[in-house]
Amino acid sequence: MGERKGTNKYYPPDFNPAKHGSLNGYHKTHALRERARKLSQGILIIRFEMPYNIWCDGCKNHIGMGVRYNAEKKKVGNYFSTPIYRFRMKCHLCINYIEMQTDPAACDYVIVSGANRKEERWDMAENEQILTTEREEKEKLETDAMFKLDHGGKDKEKLAKALPSLVELQDYQAGWKDDFQLNSALRRKFRTEKKVMTEKEAKDDAVRARTNLSIPLLPERDEDKRLAALLSYQTPDSYDDKQRSKRREIFSRSWFSSPPPTPGGTARGLLHKLSLQGKDAAVAKALGPAHNQLIRRKSDPGRRQEVNGSSEAATRPQDCETTLASSLVPNYSDSDSDHGH
């Protein structure tokens, strides 16, 4: 907004055009204001834009192309009639100053101090590209016959070196000459591949739907087929099959065979025998002394027992089992009868 001060419409009463010339002369200011504060030294403050990528020597940071600075511009020389300008600016990341100047001969900018250029230039000669003919060379070709003859010989040598590569490129391009035929073959190949991919995708979707999976499936291999052929699957038996199998097992089991011993089975059997013995003793007491009664003699080392009653009752399996149990475990429930005898 400072530049608008010199273009205002107000002219003071003591303004003299012959003496002041303009309002800037009247206010004793320059039209560029602060940008011309070093104009007496030949320096003008301008807005400079970085022409390429550089590395700052002070902070070693990268400064990209297009970054703008307030630079001091001054003339340092001429290239023929073209002036050479130098620009001095301060790095925005450190206190280092960067100086650059124009190079009219190469149509480029050259770093004088304070930075290094990031090399991204394209060298046509290094990359074996065709170089443009300079103006001076053109003039010599037009005026100097010997230079033209020498130049023509060098061109023939270059052609002889590049001829094998050119022939190979021509042969390669000849294979692509019939565009319609090549395009048809390519489209036919794509259609075949697309059909195969569609069928494969349909099979995979069917397998995923049957197995309730949501993962991508890998291609089928011969090794997977051989491995699957070695596996055998068996369906679980139904309820009727299990019942029939259980019945066959029961029918084939022996009635007199004892079950296999299990941990704690001896103790459970002994307790069962003791309960039977207690029941028999209770029944004998209820029936009276005329019926069968088991008597244990404590003085007998062989733990013999006498059975009062009929011999038929003494030979019963239940009485024998009770007698065996009483011989193993003392019976105190019948202690009164022992004392009586």
Side-chain angles (χ1 to χ4, degrees):
M1 300 296 291
E3 289 79 3
R4 300 182 64 181
K5 294 179 181 178
T7 58
N8 55 40
K9 302 300 182 181
Y10 176 74
Y11 290 87
D14 57 346
F15 174 75
N16 185 1
K19 178 181 178 182
H20 302 107
S22 65
L23 289 175
N24 290 328
Y26 175 80
H27 293 292
K28 297 180 181 180
T29 58
H30 196 275
L32 299 177
R33 295 297 188 273
E34 294 297 325
R35 293 171 54 191
R37 66 180 180 270
K38 296 183 179 181
L39 198 60
S40 60
Q41 305 174 17
I43 298 174
L44 178 66
I45 308 299
I46 65 166
R47 194 70 173 164
F48 181 81
E49 184 174 338
M50 194 62 65
Y52 42 73
N53 298 322
I54 65 171
W55 301 94
C56 178
D57 287 344
C59 57
K60 306 300 181 182
N61 286 319
H62 177 267
I63 300 175
M65 180 177 61
V67 180
R68 296 180 179 180
Y69 294 95
N70 292 328
E72 298 179 356
K73 173 186 174 183
K74 66 178 179 179
K75 183 179 178 181
V76 294
N78 290 311
Y79 175 76
F80 295 105
S81 60
T82 305
I84 299 176
Y85 293 102
R86 181 172 294 180
F87 307 93
R88 185 173 184 268
M89 65 210 81
K90 181 178 176 293
C91 177
H92 66 287
L93 299 173
C94 63
I95 61 174
N96 181 51
Y97 279 88
I98 302 171
E99 291 188 6
M100 304 177 68
Q101 70 180 25
T102 59
D103 184 9
C107 299
D108 201 358
Y109 287 87
V110 178
I111 298 176
V112 178
S113 64
N116 291 318
R117 180 171 182 172
K118 183 179 180 181
E119 195 58 50
E120 295 175 334
R121 285 174 286 191
W122 181 263
D123 190 356
M124 299 178 66
E126 183 180 353
N127 292 277
E128 299 181 356
Q129 289 186 336
I130 299 175
L131 301 176
T132 57
T133 306
E134 298 292 338
R135 182 176 58 85
E136 296 178 357
E137 189 176 356
K138 285 183 179 180
E139 292 178 357
K140 291 184 70 176
L141 287 172
E142 294 173 358
T143 57
D144 193 346
M146 294 300 295
F147 181 78
K148 183 177 180 180
L149 181 63
D150 187 19
H151 194 276
K154 292 180 180 179
D155 290 343
K156 290 180 181 179
E157 292 178 2
K158 292 180 181 179
L159 177 61
K161 292 180 180 179
L163 189 60
S165 300
L166 295 175
V167 173
E168 185 179 356
L169 290 174
Q170 289 177 356
D171 294 341
Y172 182 75
Q173 290 178 354
W176 295 85
K177 189 174 181 179
D178 193 353
D179 299 337
F180 178 77
Q181 187 67 23
L182 293 173
N183 191 14
S184 299
L186 187 62
R187 291 172 63 85
R188 191 181 306 111
K189 179 182 177 182
F190 286 164
R191 283 195 295 269
T192 305
E193 292 179 355
K194 186 177 180 180
K195 184 177 180 181
V196 173
M197 292 174 62
T198 303
E199 293 177 356
K200 181 179 178 300
E201 187 175 357
K203 291 181 181 179
D204 292 347
D205 292 340
V207 172
R208 281 193 288 264
R210 186 171 63 252
T211 57
N212 196 17
L213 296 175
S214 60
I215 58 175
L217 302 179
L218 296 176
E220 187 178 3
R221 298 181 300 177
D222 296 337
E223 183 179 356
D224 299 335
K225 293 181 180 179
R226 290 194 298 269
L227 182 61
L230 298 175
L231 300 177
S232 61
Y233 299 95
Q234 183 178 3
T235 57
D237 297 336
S238 62
Y239 177 77
D240 297 335
D241 295 339
K242 291 180 179 180
Q243 292 295 326
R244 284 193 291 269
S245 176
K246 189 179 294 185
R247 290 193 185 97
R248 285 195 298 269
E249 181 182 357
I250 294 173
F251 291 154
S252 62
R253 187 187 304 167
S254 175
W255 288 10
F256 302 101
S257 61
S258 60
T262 58
T266 306
R268 285 195 296 269
L270 186 58
L271 292 175
H272 180 67
K273 293 176 181 179
L274 290 175
S275 63
L276 293 177
Q277 179 184 357
K279 291 180 181 179
D280 292 341
V283 171
K285 286 182 179 182
L287 294 176
H291 293 81
N292 299 334
Q293 186 176 6
L294 298 176
I295 300 173
R296 178 179 179 277
R297 293 182 179 179
K298 297 180 181 180
S299 60
D300 188 0
R303 298 193 179 189
R304 295 175 300 170
Q305 296 179 354
E306 295 180 1
V307 180
N308 298 328
S310 65
S311 60
E312 181 182 357
T315 58
R316 288 183 300 176
Q318 184 176 2
D319 294 339
C320 295
E321 182 178 356
T322 307
T323 305
L324 178 61
S326 63
S327 64
L328 295 176
V329 181
N331 186 4
Y332 298 102
S333 62
D334 204 12
S335 58
D336 297 338
S337 301
D338 294 338
H339 290 293
H341 288 286

